[in-house]
Amino acid sequence: MPKKLIIAIDGPAGSGKSTTAKLVAKRLNYLYIDTGAMYRAITLLALRNELMGKTAEIIELAKSLKIVLSFIDGETNITVNGEDVSKEIRSFEVNGNVSEISAIEGVRKILVKKQQEMGKDGGVVMEGRDITTVVYPNADVKIYLTAGIDERAVRRAKEFSEKGTDVPIEKVKENLKNRDFIDSNREASPLTKSPDAIEVDTSNTTIEEQVELIIKEFKIVSEK
Ligand code: DC
């Protein structure tokens, strides 16, 4: 029985993490874990309960929520206390507030513990901002995906449009820049490239090339 590995992928919003990670997981028959969805779920509930800006209350809320993440028909499915919030967590409003929630150390502690538990048996492709640095610094394969801001904005605007919301490209770009800044400059585990992660700039590579590169790395590690 081959050893089940942990593949960790980090990178900024729109760098191609989700698409790449999903395909890698499919190829290997591994579990795909979208950790951003968990921060988004807490953000959604904080917005609903009008708790933005109230750190202590948000941490209490995060502690009380039962978040269940699964992967159904190639898509992330997420429930909070039994309610399916998979669609709602992708709204523009959640996008605009999620960086504030994910900068709260107490929230991160709760989610990191949960993520470590989810991947403890291996056989996972986990993506986010701190997977290669904090959640799984000893992951078997560590990847850092990046892409230029213009390319990332085009991708995100297309995603919104496919989901039925047309957001002007400049607005998407502004939101991305804002999130990049908060995600990379926050005190609690900011987005950084782990020195031993393989950096892949996806501005000019196809999804297939990205997937192949990770699978190649996976094979090298598996055969060691
Ligand atoms: O990958 P995403 O766009 O769905 O992530 C949403 C937000 O959650 C992002 O702005 C940063 C935060 N995040 C984080 O801080 N750590 C993670 N492991 C994943 C996401």
Side-chain angles (χ1 to χ4, degrees), residues 10-14 17-18 34-37 39-40 90 95 98-99 102-103 108 115 127-131 135 156 179 183 186 189:
D10 283 326
K17 292 188 307 289
S18 308
D34 169 4
T35 60
Y39 290 94
R40 285 170 178 273
R90 308 284 166 197
N95 270 287
V98 66
S99 283
S102 54
R108 303 201 69 82
Q115 290 152 10
E127 56 112 332
R129 303 292 189 290
D130 60 342
I131 313 304
V135 182
R156 271 291 141 106
R179 278 171 60 194
D183 294 347
R186 67 183 178 216
S189 32

Side-chain angles (χ1 to χ4, degrees), residues 35-85:
T35 60
M38 300 166 89
Y39 290 94
R40 285 170 178 273
I42 294 177
T43 306
L44 175 68
L45 271 286
L47 284 166
R48 275 190 194 167
N49 290 289
E50 298 182 2
L51 295 180
M52 292 311 293
K54 298 179 184 164
T55 306
E57 281 95 329
I58 294 169
I59 297 171
E60 280 314 305
L61 172 78
K63 273 188 202 154
S64 73
L65 298 177
K66 186 169 165 34
I67 298 178
V68 178
L69 198 64
S70 53
F71 194 48
I72 302 171
D73 292 336
E75 291 302 328
T76 293
N77 184 275
I78 185 160
T79 62
V80 177
N81 296 346
E83 179 197 350
D84 187 340
V85 293

Side-chain angles (χ1 to χ4, degrees), residues 23-223:
L23 289 170
V24 171
K26 196 171 169 202
R27 278 272 293 274
L28 300 174
N29 204 13
Y30 272 23
L31 189 67
Y32 162 65
I33 301 176
D34 169 4
T35 60
M38 300 166 89
Y39 290 94
R40 285 170 178 273
I42 294 177
T43 306
L44 175 68
L45 271 286
L47 284 166
R48 275 190 194 167
N49 290 289
E50 298 182 2
L51 295 180
M52 292 311 293
K54 298 179 184 164
T55 306
E57 281 95 329
I58 294 169
I59 297 171
E60 280 314 305
L61 172 78
K63 273 188 202 154
S64 73
L65 298 177
K66 186 169 165 34
I67 298 178
V68 178
L69 198 64
S70 53
F71 194 48
I72 302 171
D73 292 336
E75 291 302 328
T76 293
N77 184 275
I78 185 160
T79 62
V80 177
N81 296 346
E83 179 197 350
D84 187 340
V85 293
S86 312
K87 283 209 174 72
E88 251 187 290
I89 60 161
R90 308 284 166 197
S91 72
F92 197 69
E93 201 192 359
V94 170
N95 270 287
N97 288 277
V98 66
S99 283
E100 192 180 318
I101 297 292
S102 54
I104 302 172
E105 199 170 356
V107 169
R108 303 201 69 82
K109 267 196 189 146
I110 295 163
L111 291 188
V112 166
K113 204 168 154 221
K114 205 169 161 55
Q115 290 152 10
Q116 287 171 334
E117 179 64 23
M118 289 166 86
K120 72 179 188 327
D121 297 327
V124 296
V125 182
M126 192 177 285
E127 56 112 332
R129 303 292 189 290
D130 60 342
I131 313 304
T132 59
T133 53
V134 177
V135 182
Y136 281 110
N138 297 322
D140 303 285
V141 178
K142 294 171 71 167
I143 307 287
Y144 187 84
L145 290 188
T146 84
I149 182 81
D150 289 316
E151 177 62 28
R152 293 193 283 125
V154 169
R155 289 178 191 167
R156 271 291 141 106
K158 196 165 159 247
E159 275 170 29
F160 280 123
S161 171
E162 281 165 3
K163 284 178 190 139
T165 326
D166 282 319
V167 185
I169 191 90
E170 280 312 314
K171 216 170 161 194
V172 177
K173 205 162 148 180
E174 196 187 299
N175 170 263
L176 280 180
K177 275 190 186 163
N178 198 20
R179 278 171 60 194
D180 281 357
F181 184 82
I182 304 177
D183 294 347
S184 310
N185 291 284
R186 67 183 178 216
E187 252 170 58
S189 32
L191 169 68
T192 48
K193 182 195 159 301
S194 170
D196 57 351
I198 299 168
E199 182 165 347
V200 184
D201 186 333
T202 67
S203 306
N204 298 307
T205 53
T206 64
I207 299 285
E208 290 72 30
E209 283 168 338
Q210 288 150 219
V211 172
E212 273 318 313
L213 192 142
I214 298 173
I215 298 281
K216 202 171 131 202
E217 195 50 36
F218 166 85
K219 284 184 180 154
I220 294 171
V221 175
S222 307
E223 282 157 17

